[in-house]
Amino acid sequence: MTTEQLADARVLAAALAGVAADRLSDEEVRAAVNSMGEWFRDTAPLSAADAATIILDGVRAGTWRILVGDDALALDAAMRADPLDLYRPDSPTLAAVFPDMPRREE
Protein backbone atom coordinates (compact mmCIF):
# COMPACT_ATOMS: atom_id res chain seq x y z
CA MET A 1 0.00 0.00 0.00
CA THR A 2 1.19 3.50 -0.76
CA THR A 3 1.44 6.07 2.02
CA GLU A 4 -1.76 7.74 0.76
CA GLN A 5 -3.64 4.43 0.57
CA LEU A 6 -2.49 3.55 4.07
CA ALA A 7 -3.67 6.93 5.41
CA ASP A 8 -7.09 6.55 3.77
CA ALA A 9 -7.44 2.97 4.99
CA ARG A 10 -6.39 3.99 8.52
CA VAL A 11 -9.36 6.37 8.79
CA LEU A 12 -11.82 3.69 7.67
CA ALA A 13 -10.27 0.95 9.79
CA ALA A 14 -10.32 3.18 12.86
CA ALA A 15 -13.96 4.13 12.27
CA LEU A 16 -14.96 0.48 11.89
CA ALA A 17 -12.96 -0.53 14.95
CA GLY A 18 -14.25 2.40 17.00
CA VAL A 19 -10.78 3.60 17.96
CA ALA A 20 -8.68 6.67 17.24
CA ALA A 21 -6.78 6.38 13.96
CA ASP A 22 -3.44 7.05 15.65
CA ARG A 23 -3.91 3.93 17.81
CA LEU A 24 -3.59 1.62 14.80
CA SER A 25 -0.19 0.51 13.57
CA ASP A 26 0.49 0.20 9.84
CA GLU A 27 0.32 -3.59 10.19
CA GLU A 28 -3.05 -3.38 11.97
CA VAL A 29 -4.38 -1.20 9.14
CA ARG A 30 -3.11 -3.63 6.52
CA ALA A 31 -4.66 -6.53 8.44
CA ALA A 32 -7.98 -4.67 8.69
CA VAL A 33 -8.01 -4.01 4.93
CA ASN A 34 -7.24 -7.66 4.28
CA SER A 35 -9.95 -8.75 6.72
CA MET A 36 -12.52 -6.45 5.08
CA GLY A 37 -11.64 -7.86 1.68
CA GLU A 38 -11.97 -11.42 2.90
CA TRP A 39 -15.24 -10.61 4.68
CA PHE A 40 -16.67 -9.10 1.52
CA ARG A 41 -15.47 -11.98 -0.64
CA ASP A 42 -16.94 -14.57 1.72
CA THR A 43 -20.26 -12.87 2.51
CA ALA A 44 -21.17 -10.94 -0.65
CA PRO A 45 -24.69 -11.99 -1.60
CA LEU A 46 -24.11 -11.20 -5.29
CA SER A 47 -21.63 -12.83 -7.59
CA ALA A 48 -19.40 -10.67 -9.73
CA ALA A 49 -21.46 -11.74 -12.75
CA ASP A 50 -24.74 -10.69 -11.10
CA ALA A 51 -23.24 -7.35 -10.07
CA ALA A 52 -21.93 -6.78 -13.59
CA THR A 53 -25.39 -7.49 -15.00
CA ILE A 54 -27.00 -4.92 -12.67
CA ILE A 55 -24.35 -2.34 -13.56
CA LEU A 56 -24.50 -2.92 -17.30
CA ASP A 57 -28.32 -2.91 -17.32
CA GLY A 58 -28.25 0.38 -15.44
CA VAL A 59 -25.74 1.91 -17.85
CA ARG A 60 -27.76 0.78 -20.85
CA ALA A 61 -30.90 2.30 -19.31
CA GLY A 62 -29.09 5.60 -18.67
CA THR A 63 -29.45 5.34 -14.90
CA TRP A 64 -27.22 7.92 -13.25
CA ARG A 65 -27.04 6.18 -9.85
CA ILE A 66 -26.60 2.45 -9.79
CA LEU A 67 -26.67 0.71 -6.42
CA VAL A 68 -25.62 -2.92 -6.42
CA GLY A 69 -26.82 -5.14 -3.61
CA ASP A 70 -28.85 -4.79 -0.45
CA ASP A 71 -25.83 -3.49 1.46
CA ALA A 72 -25.44 -0.61 -1.00
CA LEU A 73 -29.14 0.21 -0.72
CA ALA A 74 -28.99 0.15 3.09
CA LEU A 75 -25.83 2.25 3.22
CA ASP A 76 -27.32 4.75 0.76
CA ALA A 77 -30.50 5.03 2.87
CA ALA A 78 -28.46 5.50 6.07
CA MET A 79 -26.26 8.13 4.45
CA ARG A 80 -29.25 10.07 3.15
CA ALA A 81 -31.02 9.90 6.52
CA ASP A 82 -28.06 11.32 8.49
CA PRO A 83 -25.01 12.10 6.31
CA LEU A 84 -22.67 12.94 9.19
CA ASP A 85 -23.50 9.90 11.34
CA LEU A 86 -21.24 7.51 9.43
CA TYR A 87 -18.21 9.66 10.20
CA ARG A 88 -18.60 9.58 13.98
CA PRO A 89 -16.38 6.98 15.67
CA ASP A 90 -19.26 5.94 17.97
CA SER A 91 -21.80 5.67 15.15
CA PRO A 92 -24.08 2.64 15.36
CA THR A 93 -25.05 3.01 11.69
CA LEU A 94 -22.32 0.85 10.15
CA ALA A 95 -22.99 -1.89 12.70
CA ALA A 96 -26.70 -1.72 11.86
CA VAL A 97 -26.08 -1.82 8.10
CA PHE A 98 -23.41 -4.52 8.36
CA PRO A 99 -24.33 -6.56 11.46
CA ASP A 100 -22.02 -9.46 10.59
CA MET A 101 -18.90 -7.35 10.08
CA PRO A 102 -16.29 -8.29 12.66
CA ARG A 103 -15.47 -5.53 15.13
CA ARG A 104 -12.03 -4.92 16.59
CA GLU A 105 -11.72 -6.04 20.17
CA GLU A 106 -10.10 -3.64 22.65
Side-chain angles (χ1 to χ4, degrees):
M1 297 178 81
T2 67
T3 302
E4 283 183 3
Q5 290 170 329
L6 195 57
D8 291 342
R10 182 180 311 283
V11 173
L12 177 61
L16 291 173
V19 300
D22 62 355
R23 288 194 50 205
L24 298 175
S25 70
D26 290 352
E27 286 310 309
E28 287 174 314
V29 173
R30 287 184 183 97
V33 168
N34 187 52
S35 177
M36 285 184 272
E38 290 174 358
W39 174 84
F40 184 79
R41 180 198 64 217
D42 296 342
T43 64
L46 287 175
S47 68
D50 291 338
T53 298
I54 292 168
I55 294 166
L56 292 173
D57 288 349
V59 170
R60 286 185 195 109
T63 304
W64 66 275
R65 273 178 77 247
I66 301 168
L67 300 174
V68 178
D70 292 340
D71 55 339
L73 293 169
L75 190 55
D76 181 64
M79 191 67 165
R80 289 171 179 268
D82 188 352
L84 298 179
D85 180 62
L86 295 178
Y87 297 99
R88 289 194 340 251
D90 62 340
S91 170
T93 302
L94 284 176
V97 172
F98 303 107
D100 296 328
M101 181 175 280
R103 308 296 280 182
R104 183 175 190 270
E105 297 296 324
E106 291 298 319

